[in-house]
């Protein structure tokens, strides 16, 4: 089996220097060769274009925040900076790119904005073409204003979905050559604090991870008008867990059979099996991430492995994944990475 190159977005508040690169050796079942790939301030979230030619990282530059584009060396995975688009204020917390690598969107937790950029042929970024600033609050003490936590494309890429933890909203925007216009709003339960979303490959269902209530919401998605309807809410942590928990990332296997949800505090990944007729979830297990504060995780391109990033313990953990049951088996822990947040692979 092959080796895969991955990238890690980090905070740079302590000893981290930027975006890191590593290799997954699938024969040895080992994460190795962790090294700095690009020096950058607070590139907490990164994404890789479908053609594997570009990486986009949220970033900070002094008092400005924005997104930085890189080209990826096809043979070595080495990153070369192309350009950055920044503006006054904090950096975004999430970045996505469409399948054709034409449109990049970011969500900003602090400035309340979702920003859209068009790219050039080499993957470099043009100035922002659309900036949407949000309003609203929620009942939780952390919901004093909008906190945009996710911006990404629906499977058919007719819409951009923005998730506002601060006002409990999942917002649908029509997207036309990078221009965003709001068409739908789905309101989650007050105080739930929605964070991230992932879509079933059949395009009929979506799964939202809530940060404040630690739940997975199963939504029916109507691609005709971009609307959502709730089908189910299922707990992401045990009923008797009474310590602080912040829901984190959510991902689905490409066959649509299993959903995985991250928990910071409980320090686990919850595994669910998907009913293919209804989209609803059945709980399978919790697996410890063997570290503190798992901010994100990702399946490798073969989906035979899953890698979790533990921000507060500065570690990555490798699991083997059973494709038939969805269950995770620990393979390797305590792989040092400074302040890891998100992890992405080239294919």
């Amino acid at each position: 089996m092959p080796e895969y190159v991955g990238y890690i977005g980090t905070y740079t508040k302590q000893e981290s220097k930027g975006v890191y690169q590593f290799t997954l050796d699938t024969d040895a079942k080992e994460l190795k060769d962790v090294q700095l790939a690009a020096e950058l301030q607070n590139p907490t979230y990164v994404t890789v274009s479908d053609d594997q030619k570009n990486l986009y990282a949220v970033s900070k530059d002094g008092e400005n925040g924005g997104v930085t584009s890189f080209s990826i060396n096809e043979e070595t995975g080495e990153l070369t900076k192309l350009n950055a688009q920044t503006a006054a204020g904090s950096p975004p917390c999430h970045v996505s790119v469409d399948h054709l690598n034409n449109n990049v969107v970011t969500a900003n937790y602090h400035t309340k904005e979702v920003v859209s950029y068009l790219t050039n042929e080499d993957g470099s970024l043009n100035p922002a073409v659309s900036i949407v600033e949000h309003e609203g609050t929620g009942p939780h003490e952390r919901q004093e204003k909008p906190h945009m936590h996710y911006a990404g494309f629906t499977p058919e890429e007719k819409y951009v979905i923005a998730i506002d933890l601060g006002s409990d909203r999942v917002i649908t925007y029509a997207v036309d050559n990078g221009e965003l216009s709001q068409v739908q709003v789905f309101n989650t339960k007050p105080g739930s604090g929605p964070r991230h979303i992932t879509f079933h490959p059949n395009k009929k269902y979506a799964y939202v991870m809530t940060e404040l209530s630690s739940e997975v919401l199963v939504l029916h998605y109507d691609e005709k008008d971009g609307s959502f309807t709730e089908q189910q809410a299922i707990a992401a942590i045990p009923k008797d867990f009474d310590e602080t928990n912040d829901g984190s990332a959510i991902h689905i296997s490409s066959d649509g059979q299993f959903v995985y949800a991250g928990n910071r505090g409980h320090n686990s990944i919850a595994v669910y099996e998907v009913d293919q007729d209804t989209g609803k979830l059945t709980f399978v297990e919790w697996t410890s991430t063997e570290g503190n504060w798992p901010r994100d995780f990702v399946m490798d391109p073969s989906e035979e492995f899953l890698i979790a990033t533990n921000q507060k313990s500065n570690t990555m953990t490798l699991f083997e994944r059973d494709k038939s049951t969805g269950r995770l088996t620990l393979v390797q822990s305590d792989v040092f990475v400074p302040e890891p947040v998100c992890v992405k692979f080239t294919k």
Side-chain angles (χ1 to χ4, degrees), residues 182-204:
Q182 183 177 312
V183 293
Q184 297 284 351
V185 175
F186 171 77
N187 295 291
T188 67
K189 181 178 66 179
S192 58
R195 176 187 171 92
H196 278 194
I197 190 170
T198 189
F199 284 85
H200 193 288
N202 69 12
K203 306 178 185 179
K204 295 178 182 178

Side-chain angles (χ1 to χ4, degrees), residues 166-236:
S167 68
D168 298 311
R169 295 189 302 162
V170 178
I171 306 163
T172 304
Y173 296 97
V175 56
D176 181 11
N177 200 32
E179 289 282 353
L180 303 177
S181 53
Q182 183 177 312
V183 293
Q184 297 284 351
V185 175
F186 171 77
N187 295 291
T188 67
K189 181 178 66 179
S192 58
R195 176 187 171 92
H196 278 194
I197 190 170
T198 189
F199 284 85
H200 193 288
N202 69 12
K203 306 178 185 179
K204 295 178 182 178
Y205 306 108
Y207 302 89
V208 171
M209 183 65 178
T210 67
E211 179 165 328
L212 303 180
S213 64
S214 300
E215 295 172 292
V216 177
L217 308 181
V218 180
L219 308 182
H220 178 267
Y221 169 62
D222 187 341
E223 67 176 276
K224 292 178 182 177
D225 62 5
S227 63
F228 294 95
T229 308
E230 186 171 322
Q231 308 289 307
Q232 181 190 21
I234 187 169

Side-chain angles (χ1 to χ4, degrees), residues 1-5 23-30 300-302 304-305 347:
M1 290 176 66
E3 293 186 342
Y4 297 113
V5 173
T23 300
L24 167 62
D25 184 330
T26 57
D27 284 331
K29 300 180 182 180
E30 179 185 22
D300 78 304
S302 73
E304 295 188 4
F305 298 91
K347 293 184 175 67

Side-chain angles (χ1 to χ4, degrees), residues 255-320:
D255 61 7
Q257 297 291 327
F258 298 99
V259 166
Y260 298 84
N263 290 300
R264 294 168 292 173
H266 191 246
N267 293 336
S268 66
I269 294 174
V271 184
Y272 306 90
E273 186 170 6
V274 180
D275 183 312
Q276 299 305 304
D277 293 326
T278 66
K280 291 184 177 180
L281 302 179
T282 301
F283 173 75
V284 175
E285 67 171 359
W286 285 288
T287 300
S288 170
T289 62
E290 306 293 324
N292 190 9
W293 218 246
R295 190 84 181 216
D296 202 356
F297 59 90
V298 71
M299 282 171 271
D300 78 304
S302 73
E303 298 195 357
E304 295 188 4
F305 298 91
L306 184 147
I307 295 93
T309 49
N310 297 297
Q311 180 190 338
K312 292 184 178 180
S313 54
N314 300 306
T315 56
M316 279 197 304
T317 304
L318 177 65
F319 299 93
E320 197 162 14

Side-chain angles (χ1 to χ4, degrees), residues 54 56 83 85 101-102 118-127:
N54 295 100
Y56 299 95
N83 74 335
Q85 295 292 347
N101 198 19
N102 290 332
L118 295 178
T119 63
N120 297 304
E121 193 170 340
D122 65 351
S124 60
L125 294 156
N126 289 298

Side-chain angles (χ1 to χ4, degrees), residues 105-124:
V105 290
T106 63
N108 197 306
Y109 186 90
H110 296 286
T111 69
K112 309 183 288 186
E113 292 174 341
V114 168
V115 182
S116 174
Y117 307 86
L118 295 178
T119 63
N120 297 304
E121 193 170 340
D122 65 351
S124 60

